[in-house]
């Protein structure tokens, strides 16, 4: 643990950790999509490549947000919240279309990280308050 990370309040530290887990999840999804592209017949190449690129970019963006929060960049709070709103919306879609358990998992995950980002200790550490 670096000196800057140890100075962070617990809410900010856990926000950063959970964002890295979220980015890792998207990286695993990217790898899965690549395997599906290479092993499945009848794939619409344009759609498959677009999904792979978007998943990879999403993972990179979440890593960038987590790193910015780790450096206590004041402007990182907004993007962190927006990412969680997208996660919650994706969860809502899955609740409606299935699998519902994955949708509820995403909703809870997004609300948890979103709540950690707006906690008073996190807000003070980022200099927003």
């Amino acid at each position: 643990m670096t000196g800057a990370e140890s100075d962070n309040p617990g809410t900010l530290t856990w926000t950063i950790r959970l964002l890295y887990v979220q980015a890792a999840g998207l990286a695993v999804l990217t790898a899965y999509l690549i395997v599906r592209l290479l092993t499945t017949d009848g794939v619409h190449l344009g759609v498959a490549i677009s999904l792979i690129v978007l998943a990879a970019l999403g993972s990179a963006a979440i890593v960038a947000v987590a790193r910015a929060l780790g450096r206590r960049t004041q402007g990182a709070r907004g993007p962190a919240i927006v990412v969680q709103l997208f996660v919650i919306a994706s969860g809502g879609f899955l609740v409606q279309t299935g699998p519902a358990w994955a949708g509820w998992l995403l909703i809870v995950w997004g609300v948890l990280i979103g709540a950690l980002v707006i906690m008073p200790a996190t807000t003070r550490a980022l200099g927003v308050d």
Side-chain angles (χ1 to χ4, degrees):
M1 191 164 12
T2 65
E5 186 179 332
S6 64
D7 293 341
N8 288 339
T11 55
L12 181 57
T13 301
W14 276 103
T15 300
I16 295 164
R17 288 175 182 166
L18 293 175
L19 282 171
Y20 280 127
V21 170
Q22 206 169 43
L26 274 174
V28 169
L29 175 64
T30 302
Y32 171 75
L33 291 172
I34 291 170
V35 169
R36 289 289 305 237
L37 172 65
L38 297 174
T39 60
T40 304
D41 294 331
V43 174
H44 296 283
L45 194 57
V47 173
I49 291 173
S50 297
L51 282 173
I52 291 166
V53 168
L54 284 174
L57 288 175
S59 180
I62 293 172
V63 167
V65 169
R67 288 179 54 97
L69 285 173
R71 290 188 310 269
R72 294 187 179 193
T73 305
Q74 188 175 12
R77 183 175 174 233
I81 293 169
V82 169
V83 167
Q84 299 322 303
L85 291 174
F86 281 122
V87 170
I88 293 167
S90 299
F93 176 77
L94 286 176
V95 166
Q96 294 175 3
T97 61
W101 66 268
W104 285 112
L105 182 67
L106 286 177
I107 290 171
V108 169
W109 187 263
V111 169
L112 173 66
I113 296 175
L116 286 171
V117 170
I118 62 171
M119 293 291 233
T122 304
T123 302
R124 277 192 301 277
L126 295 173
V128 178
D129 196 19

